[in-house]
Amino acid sequence: MRLRDLQAAASVSVILMGSVTQPGLAQVQKQTIKAPAGDAVAAGQQDLPTAPTPKQTEPLYMRDTPNDYTQPRHQSLLHPLNAYKPEDFPLPRLSNTPRLGDLLRDGTLYLSLSDAVTLSLENNFDIAIARINLDIADTDVLRTRAGGTFRGVSTGLVTGTLGGTTTTITGGGGPGGTTSASGGSGTGSSGLVLSENGNGPAPELLDPALTGTVGYESSKTVQSTTFITGTSTLNQNTSTYNVGYQQGFQTGTLLNVTFNNSRVTTNSERSSYSPLLQTNFRAQATQHLLQGFGTWINGRFMIQAKNNRRITDSAFRQQIIYTVTQVESIYWALVSAYEDVQAKERALDQSTKLTADNRRQLEIGTLAPLDVVNSDSAVATDKQALIASKSNLQYQQLLMKQAIARNLDDKIIAAAPVIPTDRVGLDRLAEEDMTVEDLVQQAYVNNPQIEQAVLTMKNNEITIRALKNGLLPTVDAVAFYASSGLGGSQSALLNCGTTTGPFVACPPGTVPNSNYGGVFQNTFNNSSPDYGASVNINIPLRNRIAQADQARSQMEYRQTQMRLQQLYTQIRIQVINGQYALTNDRAQVVAAQSTRDFNAQSLDAEQKKYKLGASTTANVLQQERNLAAAENNLISATAAYARDRSNLRQILSNTLDEYGIDLVDTAKGEVNKNPSIPGLTAPKPPAAPKPISVTPDTAAPGVPATTAPAPR
């Protein structure tokens, strides 16, 4: 029975596997994954199509700063202490740029969309915070040039600006799609643990180090026997002058050089010299032969730090695109609030005029009091709606100012109302007429998140190779050369008698005297050489830590591969949805505009009928409410179209190119040229109701016109 169950289950599995559609699989596998050297290629991946290479953010090290943090501070004979002075990073600017004040006229801030984007590039805190990451990444380059490890950079999006949240993929390109950073620390599968990035054999420090010891010691030691020293209390004064030099090399070599000197005075009768001058020189070189051998393994952190800097550049570009899109969304919300206030004012004017007419008719006795009550109720409702609309406008103005200003303590700026001077046009974008596949390929090339994911994979490949080297035993070749020198002045207490007899002072010249110069010369004339070589071997018998690290690095690399494929899928869906949204939004705007025109015509007709006595107050009020609702729908539909248009550019990552934003100037915080944003129009008052025509104009902005038949 169990065998038949297994056979049935296997048959069902085969049927289900055969029913899986292939296009969905091809959707995910758009890029050929290059496995690290020595890895087997998974079955079915040999002939996959290759996605376009992502465009690199250029130029690398894009910002000219007063201090180049990739280079050490200049050190010379005239300024030998420069390397030991602390670095003071410039204080952040907390004031607004003069451009903001230039837009004020009579206490009102007249703001175009181009001005809003420019001010955000100069003053927005999110961009200012992300801008510092460029210098932080440079410090990692400097660290790794000295043989140190990189600390990583937090390259996630900074989202401290209130309002205008945009829809995009905000996760980093690290293992598992963590949100903390692609090139930073703490980028494990959950973003809460350290990854294997940067692990492996530690390279030698390439910066040379000079050590020195200067000391003096005076000691009195009671002796248990006089046989050795000839005295019951040994008095010694020792002066030491030691110097050492240590430096590592990228080949995996460590050089240690020491030169030790001592001067000892003693009351020992057995010591030939007092003072005794002694020198020791030793030079030792240690070379890794297996683990840690070679220039690549010891210089890999430099490569990873430069990759992290490229990731930081890409993340900064992503931050600019994100913030500019966010500011656009805030701007269109401000436009909607401003137009909503105007619509509410028009509605209040209409209801106020109607109630005034009704009261005059009530006075002459041609209207019932109930009609006046209805019109008064409409006025109260419109006043409340206008108050709420003005409150919303003030809040949207505040959101706009916090996005484009750095300091809102300026009373003039804080109190100034913001008047938007741009409106969105309905001209078709080139992206709307492109095929989905062309748009997707464009997004693949431009999207900074794909660029970051690819660079992260390169870093993971370096880590995998390093941890494979870490599996090897430690085998070091050691070679050294040493020599010494001894001398001084003959001790006055030197005993030439027998150890058991009375003290007999040695005559002068018994021991040849020599000064420090002679001792130093004897040290380096190869008269007392000491040299040798050895091989040190350390073989971990189970090697479990190295095995775990190496296996984990492979797992994290597979996560990065899947994350990249997931990005391709997510971006494709977002591009398709963005194109659909734009088409639907334009149709919604056209429909809302038509409905608004229809309601305006209906209200105009109803008002004319009312003046002729052929209608009622209730009918006029109903048409006014219909017109107000239609205007509200038109405002909402237009704002949605404007936001989705900027969101599509964000998904395609062509915002900077379309607007002419210079990334280098933005990285400096100095915008020399205002962005040129296409597809904008000037504000226009609502059109007066058109007379109803037999052949209405069916053409709408952005929609191909149809030719109406001529009347017979």
Side-chain angles (χ1 to χ4, degrees):
M1 184 65 180
R2 183 174 300 175
L3 179 59
R4 287 197 299 271
D5 292 341
L6 292 176
Q7 290 175 342
S11 301
V12 172
S13 300
V14 170
I15 295 173
L16 292 176
M17 291 175 62
S19 64
V20 176
T21 57
Q22 293 301 318
L25 182 61
Q27 168 81 20
V28 179
Q29 297 172 338
K30 280 303 264 184
Q31 174 167 336
T32 302
I33 301 175
K34 294 183 178 180
D39 288 357
V41 179
Q45 292 185 350
Q46 292 88 345
D47 300 322
L48 294 180
T50 302
T53 302
K55 180 178 68 176
Q56 290 188 341
T57 302
E58 294 292 347
L60 183 65
Y61 313 135
M62 62 179 68
R63 180 160 56 118
D64 294 329
T65 56
N67 295 326
D68 184 359
Y69 295 99
T70 65
Q71 299 295 333
R73 195 178 293 108
H74 179 66
Q75 192 175 11
S76 63
L77 295 178
L78 297 178
H79 305 282
L81 301 180
N82 276 355
Y84 313 105
K85 294 181 180 179
E87 184 71 57
D88 291 329
F89 194 76
L91 291 173
R93 174 179 56 83
L94 298 178
S95 59
N96 301 318
T97 53
R99 192 189 309 269
L100 184 60
D102 295 340
L103 298 176
L104 284 171
R105 293 196 298 272
D106 298 328
T108 301
L109 184 62
Y110 294 92
L111 190 68
S112 68
L113 181 55
S114 177
D115 290 330
V117 171
T118 303
L119 288 170
S120 68
L121 297 178
E122 293 178 339
N123 296 324
N124 188 271
F125 277 108
D126 288 351
I127 295 177
I129 293 170
R131 188 178 288 125
I132 299 178
N133 284 335
L134 302 174
D135 284 330
I136 294 176
D138 285 347
T139 61
D140 266 358
V141 175
L142 182 61
R143 279 180 58 87
T144 56
R145 286 177 176 174
T149 59
F150 52 87
R151 298 190 180 277
V153 189
S154 179
T155 54
L157 288 174
V158 185
T159 57
T161 301
L162 301 177
T165 303
T166 62
T167 55
T168 185
I169 306 168
T170 58
T178 60
T179 58
S180 58
S182 298
S185 59
T187 55
S189 57
S190 64
L192 301 176
V193 293
L194 295 177
S195 72
E196 291 297 334
N197 192 21
N199 282 352
E204 303 293 347
L205 295 179
L206 304 181
D207 280 359
L210 189 65
T211 61
T213 303
V214 177
Y216 174 79
E217 180 184 0
S218 178
S219 65
K220 292 184 179 181
T221 308
V222 178
Q223 305 294 300
S224 60
T225 176
T226 61
F227 180 79
I228 298 176
T229 62
T231 178
S232 59
T233 302
L234 178 64
N235 298 334
Q236 280 187 328
N237 297 321
T238 305
S239 300
T240 35
Y241 313 91
N242 301 335
V243 64
Y245 179 88
Q246 179 175 308
Q247 183 176 3
F249 298 90
Q250 203 169 327
T251 55
T253 308
L254 178 63
L255 175 64
N256 274 295
V257 179
T258 57
F259 183 54
N260 298 331
N261 300 267
S262 63
R263 182 181 185 275
V264 181
T265 60
T266 180
N267 65 345
S268 173
E269 297 179 0
R270 306 291 185 259
S271 178
S272 300
Y273 296 102
S274 184
L276 170 67
L277 304 178
Q278 189 172 10
T279 62
N280 290 282
F281 170 79
R282 183 182 179 92
Q284 177 174 305
T286 304
Q287 174 64 54
H288 300 306
L289 298 181
L290 289 180
Q291 186 180 128
F293 171 77
T295 57
W296 180 89
I297 192 68
N298 293 283
R300 70 187 189 279
F301 288 159
M302 302 181 195
I303 303 173
Q304 289 181 296
K306 290 181 179 179
N307 286 341
N308 286 345
R309 174 54 204 258
R310 285 202 173 275
I311 291 174
T312 307
D313 289 348
S314 178
F316 183 72
R317 177 165 67 96
Q318 182 183 359
Q319 180 71 55
I320 298 300
I321 295 173
Y322 177 86
T323 303
V324 167
T325 307
Q326 188 178 19
V327 169
E328 279 195 73
S329 182
I330 296 174
Y331 187 88
W332 297 124
L334 174 63
V335 170
S336 297
Y338 183 76
E339 292 187 341
D340 186 65
V341 169
Q342 293 180 320
K344 295 297 190 295
E345 288 176 344
R346 290 192 298 270
L348 180 60
D349 290 341
Q350 292 170 352
S351 60
T352 302
K353 182 179 179 181
L354 177 63
T355 192
D357 293 341
N358 287 347
R359 287 189 179 278
R360 284 194 296 269
Q361 295 185 43
L362 179 64
E363 290 176 0
I364 62 178
T366 59
L367 191 69
L370 183 60
D371 289 333
V372 176
V373 173
N374 289 339
S375 60
D376 287 345
S377 175
V379 170
T381 301
D382 290 343
K383 285 182 178 180
Q384 186 275 333
L386 179 59
I387 292 173
S389 182
K390 286 184 175 180
S391 298
N392 179 55
L393 175 60
Q394 292 175 352
Y395 180 67
Q396 294 300 329
Q397 289 173 337
L398 181 61
L399 288 179
M400 189 77 257
K401 284 187 279 189
Q402 63 91 30
I404 63 175
R406 190 164 293 189
N407 186 358
L408 292 181
D409 292 334
D410 187 333
K411 295 182 179 179
I412 298 178
I413 298 295
V418 184
I419 306 300
T421 61
D422 283 329
R423 300 295 183 269
V424 66
L426 290 180
D427 297 334
R428 292 183 65 84
L429 299 180
E431 290 81 1
E432 293 183 72
D433 299 322
M434 294 175 61
T435 64
V436 169
E437 195 59 35
D438 289 341
L439 282 180
V440 169
Q441 295 300 312
Q442 181 180 341
Y444 287 169
V445 171
N446 293 331
N447 196 283
Q449 294 168 294
I450 292 181
E451 178 189 8
Q452 295 166 37
V454 171
L455 289 170
T456 302
M457 288 182 62
K458 291 181 179 179
N459 278 346
N460 288 349
E461 291 171 1
I462 292 174
T463 300
I464 288 175
R465 184 176 172 186
L467 290 175
K468 285 182 179 179
N469 182 268
L471 288 169
L472 300 176
T474 302
V475 179
D476 295 339
V478 181
F480 71 91
Y481 173 83
S483 61
S484 60
L486 185 68
S489 300
Q490 179 177 317
S491 175
L493 300 178
L494 181 60
N495 188 0
C496 285
T498 62
T499 57
T500 57
F503 173 79
V504 178
C506 293
T510 302
V511 179
N513 293 339
S514 61
N515 55 19
Y516 181 78
V519 175
F520 183 85
Q521 181 180 4
N522 290 335
T523 302
F524 293 98
N525 63 7
N526 203 31
S527 59
S528 303
D530 180 15
Y531 50 85
S534 62
V535 176
N536 299 331
I537 301 176
N538 181 7
I539 303 177
L541 296 182
R542 303 184 71 177
N543 212 21
R544 289 180 290 183
I545 295 177
Q547 291 178 27
D549 289 344
Q550 190 274 330
R552 177 168 174 161
S553 68
Q554 288 279 345
M555 299 171 191
E556 291 181 357
Y557 182 74
R558 299 308 180 203
Q559 282 184 323
T560 310
Q561 289 176 322
M562 288 188 289
R563 173 57 178 163
L564 179 59
Q565 298 305 310
Q566 186 184 45
L567 277 174
Y568 285 129
T569 302
Q570 290 175 336
I571 290 173
R572 173 178 288 273
I573 296 300
Q574 286 190 344
V575 167
I576 297 173
N577 183 62
Q579 191 181 43
Y580 287 165
L582 211 57
T583 302
N584 295 338
D585 289 342
R586 174 177 284 104
Q588 188 72 24
V589 172
V590 172
Q593 181 66 54
S594 300
T595 303
R596 187 264 169 201
D597 293 343
F598 167 76
N599 283 283
Q601 291 172 334
S602 299
L603 175 60
D604 182 65
E606 199 67 37
Q607 288 173 339
K608 291 177 180 178
K609 290 169 59 180
Y610 180 75
K611 290 180 181 179
L612 297 175
S615 183
T616 64
T617 301
N619 290 340
V620 174
L621 291 176
Q622 182 61 46
Q623 293 300 332
E624 288 180 355
R625 287 192 290 268
N626 292 343
L627 178 60
E631 287 188 333
N632 185 66
N633 290 337
L634 177 59
I635 292 171
S636 300
T638 305
Y641 169 75
R643 286 194 299 267
D644 286 340
R645 194 178 70 165
S646 60
N647 286 340
L648 179 59
R649 289 196 176 106
Q650 180 188 21
I651 297 169
L652 297 176
S653 301
N654 62 354
T655 304
L656 305 185
D657 296 332
E658 291 290 330
Y659 295 174
I661 297 176
D662 191 324
L663 193 58
V664 176
D665 288 345
T666 304
K668 295 178 183 178
E670 302 171 359
V671 180
N672 299 316
K673 180 182 177 182
N674 279 20
S676 177
I677 302 177
L680 302 179
T681 62
K684 296 179 182 179
K690 297 180 182 179
I692 300 176
S693 174
V694 179
T695 58
D697 183 12
T698 57
V703 178
T706 57
T707 303
R712 295 182 181 274

